[in-house]
Amino acid sequence: MKKIKKKNRIAYCGIDCSKCPAYVATEKEQKNVRIKIAKLWSDRENHYESCEISCKGCREPWGKKFRHCANCEVRECARKKLYTSCADCPQYPCTKLNDLLQSLDEKIVRINLDELKCKHKTD
């Protein structure tokens, strides 16, 4: 049962939501941590309030999403195509995904997606 739960926390792009600070702070109801994350993640282009550091995970259909995840082109694309992840797409990896990965920890995300891709080939 643990594997299923963990699998459900892998975002369409391959991020493990269960390791995201916004997700963890939401799950643990850590108000002070949300304040720190908002300050840490804010920059010239994006300013975050602690109330925005709230996320139930990318694939959670009705839960609140962190602003970036809620507006993510990769997430929107995979959902429209009814894919479980980008690994299901015949165009994997596409330009949208590659652009997103450049701003994330690409090695970890790519490993998650490649594992999912291999699993689909053997199923």
Side-chain angles (χ1 to χ4, degrees):
M1 189 75 164
K2 251 185 177 176
K3 282 189 177 184
I4 293 171
K5 188 174 183 181
K6 182 175 170 95
K7 181 182 173 188
N8 288 340
R9 294 296 166 226
I10 300 294
Y12 297 100
C13 67
I15 293 173
D16 185 347
C17 292
S18 68
K19 294 179 182 174
C20 173
Y23 176 84
V24 173
T26 302
E27 288 294 299
K28 294 184 177 182
E29 299 178 9
Q30 298 171 316
K31 185 177 179 181
N32 289 335
V33 174
R34 285 182 178 159
I35 292 168
K36 289 178 185 177
I37 295 169
K39 288 179 184 175
L40 180 67
W41 287 359
S42 291
D43 57 25
R44 287 185 195 162
E45 296 172 12
N46 298 293
H47 176 76
Y48 300 108
E49 298 294 330
S50 62
C51 62
E52 292 180 281
I53 308 300
S54 180
C55 194
K56 288 292 194 174
C58 174
R59 293 181 49 208
E60 181 68 36
W62 299 282
K64 185 168 176 122
K65 311 276 177 285
F66 176 61
R67 182 188 337 159
H68 174 76
C69 299
N71 299 325
C72 179
E73 289 182 13
V74 171
R75 178 178 180 269
E76 183 180 331
C77 178
R79 287 175 55 88
K80 280 183 181 176
K81 294 177 180 177
L82 303 176
Y83 292 142
T84 304
S85 75
C86 292
D88 296 336
C89 184
Q91 293 152 358
Y92 167 79
C94 70
T95 304
K96 283 181 195 174
L97 179 63
N98 285 331
D99 289 348
L100 176 64
L101 295 181
Q102 286 186 9
S103 66
L104 303 171
D105 189 351
E106 184 175 356
K107 284 184 180 179
I108 293 171
V109 173
R110 183 75 69 188
I111 288 168
N112 289 339
L113 286 171
D114 287 345
E115 284 178 9
L116 289 170
K117 185 86 171 170
C118 288
K119 184 177 188 281
H120 292 303
K121 286 181 180 178
T122 59
D123 285 347

